[in-house]
Amino acid sequence: MHATRRGLEEIDAALRRLDDGTYGTCPDCLLSIPAERLEILPYARFCVSCQRLRG
């Protein structure tokens, strides 16, 4: 259940980013998140490089 709740929270956060115009932009480096990454993980907040740095 915890994983399901977290998934729903991530989806809600992605929808908020769509509303505020920041969806698809990494908040750390400010570069566009590649479409391929968003196709695989539509609620991705960070690009692969920045996500790796975060652990």
Side-chain angles (χ1 to χ4, degrees), residues 6 10 13-14 17 22-38 41-55:
R6 178 158 171 92
E10 291 293 338
R17 291 192 300 276
T22 62
Y23 180 79
T25 301
C26 177
D28 284 356
C29 68
L30 302 178
L31 296 175
S32 293
I33 299 171
E36 294 85 3
R37 176 164 172 76
L38 293 172
L41 192 64
Y43 52 83
R45 294 177 188 235
F46 304 98
C47 67
V48 173
S49 298
C50 290
Q51 185 66 53
R52 283 187 185 140
L53 292 173
R54 293 177 157 271

Side-chain angles (χ1 to χ4, degrees), residues 3-16:
T4 302
R5 177 173 282 152
R6 178 158 171 92
L8 291 174
E9 289 170 355
E10 291 293 338
I11 292 167
D12 285 342
L15 291 171
R16 285 192 299 277

